[in-house]
Amino acid sequence: MRAKKWLVIITFDIAILALVGMFLCFFMFKNFYEIWYDIWLAVFGGATLGFIMSLIEYYAEKRSSMERFYVEALSSANAFSNVECLIINEPIELIKNCIHEEDTNKQYRKMSENLSTKEIDDMGWKIEDKARTAMISFLCNEKGMSIEELESQQLNELYNEKIIQCREKLHKCLDSYLKILDCSLLGDLSNAIGNLDFIFS
């Protein structure tokens, strides 16, 4: 569309220049009137014809670009409407701490398999359960129970069930965000926007 736009502008400018040249020849350079007037008249006629044709092509290209932009915008809107929202009733900071604590403890256990207790102590590695304890306390309060009323296995099941649910929700949410970042989707929309190069906004 940019090429069609500049073709319209250039042919219009040449037509105006030729028209000015015709008037100058007619009123100021009467000695060279016939030759230059004919030349400028020919340039004016060709430029006017080119301007009309390029203007028709410009509006046809403009319509096509607007249709493509509309289609790509609808496609992007549909993709954004399918984004999974992260809806968690528990405090986000508590969930984040629990997931981080679990992943860190898992990494520590894996890395310390071939190390002695002394080496582990020297590195300062320690299995933490502060976030887990806080989450269990929160879940018990939410259900109107105290930690002492439940057995250790029940507490573990309660905690693991909640963390698994939160992880699944988080993964679905992240997967939907990654789909939005697909280069083909945003690239097509960006190209469609880039083609909207109008003479007048």
Side-chain angles (χ1 to χ4, degrees), residues 65-106:
S65 297
M66 289 294 293
E67 289 174 351
R68 182 183 175 192
F69 170 74
Y70 178 73
V71 170
E72 295 299 335
L74 283 181
S75 177
S76 299
N78 289 333
F80 277 103
S81 66
N82 293 327
V83 171
E84 291 282 344
C85 296
L86 183 61
I87 302 175
I88 298 177
N89 296 326
E90 293 70 26
I92 295 295
E93 191 68 22
L94 185 56
I95 295 293
K96 184 186 75 173
N97 292 339
C98 288
I99 292 175
H100 174 70
E101 186 179 83
E102 280 193 354
D103 293 342
T104 303
N105 291 340
K106 183 179 179 180

Side-chain angles (χ1 to χ4, degrees), residues 167-194:
R167 281 183 181 271
E168 288 177 352
K169 288 181 180 179
L170 182 60
H171 288 160
K172 287 181 180 179
C173 184
L174 291 175
D175 288 341
S176 63
Y177 289 156
L178 290 175
K179 289 179 181 178
I180 291 297
L181 295 176
D182 182 15
C183 293
S184 61
L185 174 66
L186 298 180
D188 291 340
L189 180 60
S190 178
N191 291 335
I193 294 173

Side-chain angles (χ1 to χ4, degrees), residues 52-68:
I52 294 172
M53 294 177 63
S54 61
L55 195 62
I56 293 172
E57 290 181 359
Y58 167 79
Y59 278 106
E61 185 72 17
K62 178 181 178 181
R63 182 182 181 86
S64 176
S65 297
M66 289 294 293
E67 289 174 351
R68 182 183 175 192

